Amino acid sequence: MSKETALIDAMRALATHPAARGLTDDCAVLDFGNEALVLTHDMMVEGIHWLPGQDMADVAWKLVATNLSDLAAKGAKPVGVLLGFTLGADDTRFVEGLREALAAFDVPLLGGDTVSANGPRSLGLTALGRATHRPPPSRSGARPGDTLWLTGPVGAAMLGFEALRDGTGAATLAFRRPTPRLAEGRALAPLATAMMDVSDGLLIDATRMAAASAVTFTIISADVPFPADLPTARRDDAMRWGDDYELLFTLPPETLPPVPAFRIGQAITRSASPLMLDEACPTGPLGYVHD
Amino acid sequence: MSKETALIDAMRALATHPAARGLTDDCAVLDFGNEALVLTHDMMVEGIHWLPGQDMADVAWKLVATNLSDLAAKGAKPVGVLLGFTLGADDTRFVEGLREALAAFDVPLLGGDTVSANGPRSLGLTALGRATHRPPPSRSGARPGDTLWLTGPVGAAMLGFEALRDGTGAATLAFRRPTPRLAEGRALAPLATAMMDVSDGLLIDATRMAAASAVTFTIISADVPFPADLPTARRDDAMRWGDDYELLFTLPPETLPPVPAFRIGQAITRSASPLMLDEACPTGPLGYVHD
């Protein structure tokens, strides 16, 4: 068991309040007043979540976008963010990217804290949203017979990361400036039996949703959408790479999604493996695993 | 202007939503449902906010306590926290201190994120509360003629820090395990014209509240409460040291506080200096200034 896994297990033992959803969902969901508050806090660390020397405006954008993607997965409308910021060399660019992201997603900066630190910079963002459908979909509601869907292709962020890392001049926007699927999440929330965003890789995130739902997902790789410029030989990689922030969701058998989406598989009664890819157990790393 | 000051000014220009209170208050206050949500996010960095080698259980306690102190200053009842955690060598002790603090203050862990990073560890906590009085007191409501009060002595945390740093064996609890004045804050919220917690030093925090309220505070040092074991020669230091987390508040002229508190001065019409100490402008550093 990795150090992070052990720590998260210890934290889960503390997080007994139902609003915490056992720390196994994208967000906490807290009844507040006569509404439901949807909450998430994700961090980014220099050298792990962004490349050294990367434009801090893009880092700011991504910090906002990835947290809002968690809200999108619960069908929540963002109401504000709080920022935990570590000072660095290019704070002006960070503020510019933050301004752009807040404007693009129409969400206010409500507060936060700023500190000095030596060593790699660490950034945190708390995003708050208002549930538009109650209860918001969890990861655990998929049932055998449900269909499995994805709102868009996986692999563009991987190609963008590689282009940025290698300086090839190819498109990098999908990696640098992901778009949370907020409108799609709100449209899907009343219908989806389970929903999450794909942040660590399609195969690992599908495995997590299947495990939370106690079902097995069968995915047909020929039905998974990929970007047009993805080489066929990279499709397997693309299913194990995160950062695209599409929504993965299940629907009851006869229900069709109200937004553009791709049917990539279905839920069946739980078998030995939570995930079957083209009728086999996928092997090797399924995606980004926190260490 | 320091880097942090410049950055905070740039952030303030973004934080135009009224809930952000211009990033000049202890907390954001957001109308949500039919109630008011009180929000804060404070960070702690290894080597800056805690001593190298310090028991991580105490660090966890303090991270929770200092954020809840911000809620206390707005009279809010805590409803949950989200944790941004960086893995380190002594995570088991951290979790133990977190468990103790959450139990002591009866607040649930709702979510968060955990990352690996090299270099000094950085921790963040978002605390959420429910306003028990609306609107929650701000820093900006003090009026000439109001009386100025403090819920308890300043200086114990300074003595505790020095004892811990120097290994003298003297009491360190006040530095390691501060207590947010949650009950006091709730009792005071309906009455106080302005309120904040003293985190960076009495003199600097009083200056901030005076500036926000556009008044001058006159403080009589003989009326400021100090711990019994504080040498008289250290009283000036104690007024410039933070970490005691007492509440500083103003009341209308004829109002008496409903909780034990010490009257240390009053608000007068704004003069050249926002703070007068024993009828003189205090000189030198007034407290901890973020750099």
Side-chain angles (χ1 to χ4, degrees):
Chain A
M1 182 160 48
S2 75
K3 276 180 65 177
E4 180 165 356
T5 306
L7 180 92
I8 289 172
D9 284 350
M11 297 280 187
R12 281 182 183 148
L14 293 184
T16 54
H17 192 288
R21 293 187 161 194
L23 304 187
T24 59
D25 211 315
D26 305 87
C27 294
V29 179
L30 181 69
D31 288 330
F32 192 91
N34 53 359
E35 301 210 48
L37 186 62
V38 182
L39 300 159
T40 188
H41 179 85
D42 276 351
M43 300 171 76
M44 290 177 66
V45 177
E46 189 172 13
I48 295 177
H49 298 93
W50 75 87
L51 292 165
Q54 203 182 324
D55 182 355
M56 289 302 289
D58 289 339
V59 174
W61 176 286
K62 195 157 181 173
L63 183 66
V64 174
T66 56
N67 275 282
L68 296 187
S69 179
D70 285 327
L71 298 186
K74 306 296 113 179
K77 179 174 166 44
V79 297
V81 300
L82 292 98
L83 172 69
F85 187 73
T86 307
L87 290 167
D90 33 19
D91 295 337
T92 304
R93 287 296 298 158
F94 184 90
V95 172
E96 179 58 23
L98 181 64
R99 189 191 64 72
E100 291 170 4
L102 297 175
F105 308 127
D106 191 24
V107 56
L109 175 66
L110 298 181
D113 196 12
T114 300
V115 295
S116 299
N118 297 315
R121 297 167 74 179
S122 152
L123 308 170
L125 195 90
T126 299
L128 300 99
R130 185 189 309 277
T132 59
H133 178 79
R134 295 172 69 177
S138 71
R139 293 182 178 185
S140 60
R143 297 290 167 257
D146 285 356
T147 50
L148 181 67
W149 302 76
L150 194 59
T151 51
V154 291
M158 177 184 77
L159 295 179
F161 168 80
E162 292 170 352
L164 192 65
R165 180 194 62 194
D166 303 335
T168 64
T172 59
L173 198 67
F175 173 73
R176 295 184 294 108
R177 302 235 171 179
T179 301
R181 304 298 176 206
L182 288 160
E184 292 85 344
R186 286 200 290 274
L188 288 165
L191 302 172
T193 49
M195 185 153 61
M196 69 184 296
D197 68 328
V198 179
S199 55
D200 291 340
L202 174 61
L203 298 189
I204 197 161
D205 286 331
T207 298
R208 290 169 178 155
M209 198 159 84
S213 295
V215 297
T216 288
F217 285 143
T218 59
I219 294 181
I220 308 300
S221 61
D223 293 337
V224 174
F226 299 103
D229 58 342
L230 184 83
T232 306
R234 300 297 309 280
R235 287 185 176 181
D236 194 66
D237 293 343
M239 288 191 289
R240 298 160 192 263
W241 230 90
D243 272 349
D244 286 303
Y245 301 99
E246 297 294 345
L247 298 178
L248 178 71
F249 60 95
T250 50
L251 292 176
E254 305 301 321
T255 303
L256 290 176
V259 293
F262 301 83
R263 182 177 163 176
I264 63 168
Q266 68 174 51
I268 62 171
T269 303
R270 174 67 192 260
S271 64
S273 167
L275 183 66
M276 300 294 284
L277 180 65
D278 299 332
E279 303 186 343
C281 290
T283 55
L286 301 182
Y288 178 76
V289 179
H290 305 266
D291 60 8
Chain B
M1 179 160 42
S2 74
K3 274 180 66 178
E4 180 165 357
T5 306
L7 180 91
I8 290 172
D9 284 351
M11 296 281 187
R12 280 183 183 147
L14 293 186
T16 54
H17 192 287
R21 293 187 162 195
L23 304 188
T24 59
D25 212 315
D26 305 86
C27 294
V29 179
L30 182 69
D31 289 330
F32 191 92
N34 50 358
E35 302 210 47
L37 185 64
V38 181
L39 301 159
T40 188
H41 179 84
D42 275 351
M43 299 171 75
M44 290 177 66
V45 177
E46 189 172 13
I48 295 177
H49 298 94
W50 75 88
L51 293 166
Q54 203 182 324
D55 182 357
M56 288 303 288
D58 290 339
V59 174
W61 176 286
K62 195 157 182 174
L63 183 66
V64 174
T66 56
N67 275 283
L68 296 187
S69 179
D70 286 327
L71 298 186
K74 306 297 111 179
K77 178 174 166 47
V79 297
V81 300
L82 293 98
L83 172 68
F85 188 72
T86 307
L87 289 167
D90 33 20
D91 295 337
T92 304
R93 288 296 297 159
F94 184 90
V95 172
E96 178 57 23
L98 180 65
R99 190 192 63 73
E100 291 170 3
L102 296 176
F105 307 128
D106 190 25
V107 56
L109 175 66
L110 298 181
D113 196 12
T114 299
V115 295
S116 300
N118 297 315
R121 296 168 75 178
S122 157
L123 308 170
L125 195 90
T126 299
L128 299 99
R130 184 189 310 276
T132 59
H133 178 80
R134 295 173 69 177
S138 71
R139 295 182 178 185
S140 60
R143 297 292 168 255
D146 286 356
T147 51
L148 181 67
W149 303 75
L150 195 58
T151 51
V154 291
M158 178 184 76
L159 295 179
F161 167 80
E162 292 170 352
L164 191 65
R165 181 195 60 195
D166 303 336
T168 64
T172 59
L173 198 68
F175 173 73
R176 294 185 295 108
R177 301 236 172 178
T179 301
R181 305 297 176 206
L182 288 161
E184 292 86 343
R186 286 199 290 272
L188 289 164
L191 302 171
T193 48
M195 186 154 60
M196 69 184 296
D197 69 326
V198 179
S199 55
D200 292 339
L202 174 62
L203 298 189
I204 196 160
D205 287 331
T207 299
R208 288 169 178 156
M209 198 159 83
S213 295
V215 298
T216 289
F217 286 144
T218 60
I219 293 181
I220 310 301
S221 61
D223 293 337
V224 173
F226 298 104
D229 59 342
L230 184 83
T232 306
R234 302 297 309 281
R235 288 186 176 179
D236 194 67
D237 293 343
M239 289 190 289
R240 297 161 192 263
W241 229 91
D243 272 349
D244 287 302
Y245 301 99
E246 298 294 345
L247 298 178
L248 178 71
F249 60 97
T250 51
L251 292 176
E254 305 303 322
T255 303
L256 290 176
V259 294
F262 301 82
R263 182 177 163 175
I264 63 169
Q266 67 174 51
I268 62 171
T269 302
R270 174 68 193 260
S271 64
S273 168
L275 182 67
M276 300 294 284
L277 179 66
D278 299 330
E279 303 186 343
C281 291
T283 55
L286 301 182
Y288 178 78
V289 179
H290 307 264
D291 60 10

